[in-house]
């Protein structure tokens, strides 16, 4: 099997390293920073650069870039791809990507699936990549049609060496609605929370809860800003919901209202128990 990867940062680099664990797989890579492509080859994460003349060799092409860049790359590459090459993007939002690439796939006759590997760290770049990043992690797939079982089975076979624990199938719209809550809001909250002036005095007074809440404040600003704006409507809904809820807690504390505050806290505890188990 021959795999091509566009974008060799944390996600793309980790995908490359994951495929290298299995014999008989050739990984070709490309990054806009040519020094990263060279470093990835020296680190034996890829066997060589992904060039236009090698596109015909690919069984699988993975695009680990920002959503807008996925569409730009595919607009250029679509006429050059073989019908045998499955293409899966790994961007953090899906509606814009799928709306831009599904028509190209149909026009030029190659299979395309939207994708989102659900794993990461607060570090970024190829140097932070590792082969086991996706071991046991969920992978979300957005197909053009839900009744093409052979296409989905082929995707699962091609992705198997990465080590995903579960592959979920959804629509682009549903993906972006859910990801606004499960991932993007967590980054906004963490990043805003750490701006308290008290943060500079936390040493010696913080434990697990502080670490859990602030871990993803250490983020890639340009990447997350693009993802938030790509998912603007869903983010605004989640932000408005959170702000309204915080207002209730604030009023209860301001009014010294023990009963209301206790009720609000118990509501949150019960919802957590319902959605995630005891």
């Amino acid at each position: 099997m021959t795999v091509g990867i566009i974008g060799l940062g944390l996600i793309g680099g980790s995908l490359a390293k994951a495929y290298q664990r299995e014999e008989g797989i050739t990984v070709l890579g490309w990054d806009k920073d040519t020094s990263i492509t060279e470093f990835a080859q020296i680190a034996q994460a890829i066997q060589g650069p992904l060039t236009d003349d090698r596109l015909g060799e690919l069984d699988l092409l993975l695009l680990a870039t920002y959503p807008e860049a996925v569409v730009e790359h595919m607009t250029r590459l679509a006429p050059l791809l073989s019908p045998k090459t499955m293409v899966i993007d790994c961007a953090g939002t899906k509606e814009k990507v799928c709306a831009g690439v599904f028509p190209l796939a149909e026009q030029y006759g190659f299979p395309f699936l939207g994708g989102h590997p659900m794993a990461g760290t607060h570090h970024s770049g190829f140097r932070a990549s590792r082969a086991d990043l996706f071991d046991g992690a969920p992978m979300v797939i957005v197909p053009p049609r839900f009744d093409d079982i052979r296409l989905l089975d082929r995707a699962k076979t091609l992705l198997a060496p990465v080590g995903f624990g579960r592959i979920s199938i959804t629509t682009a719209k549903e993906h972006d609605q859910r990801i606004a809550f499960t991932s993007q809001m967590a980054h906004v909250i963490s990043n805003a929370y750490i701006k308290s002036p008290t943060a500079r005095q936390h040493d010696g007074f913080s434990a697990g809860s502080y670490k859990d809440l602030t871990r993803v404040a250490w983020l890639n600003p340009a990447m997350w800003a693009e993802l938030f704006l790509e998912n603007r409507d869903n983010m605004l809904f989640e932000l408005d919901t959170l702000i309204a809820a915080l207002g209730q807690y604030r009023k209860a504390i301001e009014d010294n209202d023990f009963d209301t505050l206790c009720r609000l806290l118990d509501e949150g505890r019960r919802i957590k128990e319902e959605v995630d188990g005891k």
Side-chain angles (χ1 to χ4, degrees):
M1 177 165 67
T2 301
V3 179
I5 300 175
I6 294 177
L8 294 172
L10 171 66
I11 300 301
S14 296
L15 288 167
K17 291 177 179 179
Y19 277 106
Q20 291 289 16
R21 296 182 297 186
E22 192 165 311
E23 292 184 6
I25 299 179
T26 299
V27 181
L28 306 174
W30 180 92
D31 194 274
K32 63 182 179 180
D33 184 343
T34 56
S35 67
I36 297 298
T37 306
E38 293 169 359
F39 184 75
Q41 189 167 357
I42 293 170
Q44 298 184 332
I46 62 174
Q47 272 84 22
L50 176 60
T51 54
D52 286 359
D53 63 323
R54 301 200 68 176
L55 290 171
E57 302 174 27
L58 302 181
D59 298 289
L60 175 65
L61 174 62
L62 298 167
L63 294 102
T65 66
Y66 299 174
E68 186 173 345
V70 170
V71 178
E72 291 174 355
H73 282 299
M74 289 310 302
T75 299
R76 187 185 76 82
L77 295 177
L80 307 178
L81 290 173
S82 164
K84 75 167 188 175
T85 302
M86 174 168 284
V87 181
I88 302 175
D89 87 280
C90 301
T93 58
K94 297 273 73 77
E95 287 197 87
K96 182 172 183 177
V97 168
C98 291
V101 184
F102 279 152
L104 291 171
E106 185 173 355
Q107 178 182 355
Y108 291 100
F110 61 86
F112 171 76
L113 296 168
H116 190 178
M118 300 302 300
T121 74
H122 56 279
H123 298 293
S124 60
F126 179 81
R127 291 180 183 276
S129 65
R130 63 177 201 261
D132 64 350
L133 181 65
F134 305 111
D135 285 356
M139 174 66 168
V140 179
I141 292 290
V142 178
R145 299 183 309 278
F146 282 77
D147 59 351
D148 195 339
I149 303 303
R150 293 177 66 182
L151 178 68
L152 295 174
D153 283 346
R154 185 180 171 215
K156 291 177 182 179
T157 298
L158 290 170
L159 291 170
V162 180
F164 292 114
R166 174 185 176 186
I167 294 182
S168 300
I169 311 299
T170 189
T171 65
K173 181 178 181 180
E174 186 174 7
H175 169 275
D176 288 1
Q177 287 174 339
R178 292 188 184 186
I179 215 68
F181 173 75
T182 61
S183 176
Q184 294 176 349
M185 277 294 290
H187 286 77
V188 169
I189 293 165
S190 181
N191 198 264
Y193 175 79
I194 200 66
K195 292 179 179 178
S196 167
T198 315
R200 302 184 186 280
Q201 304 161 9
H202 82 85
D203 191 34
F205 292 82
S206 57
S209 55
Y210 167 82
K211 293 177 181 178
D212 290 344
L213 187 53
T214 59
R215 179 180 65 84
V216 293
W218 195 350
L219 46 68
N220 180 330
M223 181 187 79
W224 284 102
E226 179 175 330
L227 292 174
F228 296 157
L229 294 178
E230 289 281 357
N231 209 13
R232 180 174 178 271
D233 290 345
N234 291 319
M235 286 296 291
L236 289 174
F237 169 80
E238 294 296 345
L239 282 166
D240 288 344
T241 301
L242 175 66
I243 290 167
L246 288 174
Q248 293 178 13
Y249 290 91
R250 188 191 188 286
K251 187 175 188 308
I253 293 171
E254 183 181 36
D255 295 346
N256 201 30
D257 187 343
F258 176 87
D259 289 341
T260 298
L261 185 57
C262 214
R263 175 181 58 79
L264 292 170
L265 293 169
D266 191 54
E267 284 176 356
R269 179 196 63 78
R270 285 189 290 104
I271 291 171
K272 172 65 175 174
E273 184 178 298
E274 290 170 9
V275 299
D276 291 337
K278 295 183 179 181

